[in-house]
Amino acid sequence: LCRIGYTEGLVFPPFSPIRQMIEDFLSTGGKIFLCGSCLKTHQIEEKDYIFGPKPAGAALLVQESIGATVFNY
């Protein structure tokens, strides 16, 4: 979902388009992190990201999850 253009036209009725849900999530202060190992495995480079996500390892994810209302991995 982090790749430019990947979410275009991606819809699972009755929900809003994925791109819109991501934009809404980010506009309310949500954060999106990318698994560093997954990025390497799938050869995704920073120039390919959309929405400005941040690569993260386990330590950062644990730190961010402390006190979080919702944490999904």
Side-chain angles (χ1 to χ4, degrees):
L1 296 176
C2 74
R3 283 191 172 167
I4 293 171
Y6 186 84
T7 60
E8 296 301 321
L10 196 57
V11 181
F12 299 96
F15 303 105
S16 299
I18 296 291
R19 182 181 176 97
Q20 184 63 52
M21 288 195 291
I22 291 172
E23 289 173 356
D24 291 347
F25 174 74
L26 293 172
S27 73
T28 60
K31 297 178 187 176
I32 296 177
F33 297 98
L34 304 174
C35 169
S37 298
C38 296
L39 292 173
K40 289 178 186 176
T41 299
H42 297 284
Q43 300 174 342
I44 301 172
E45 299 176 14
E46 190 170 352
K47 66 178 178 56
D48 301 322
Y49 302 169
I50 192 168
F51 306 118
K54 179 179 178 181
L60 178 61
L61 295 178
V62 168
Q63 180 183 350
E64 287 290 325
S65 69
I66 296 171
T69 303
V70 175
F71 180 80
N72 188 0
Y73 180 71

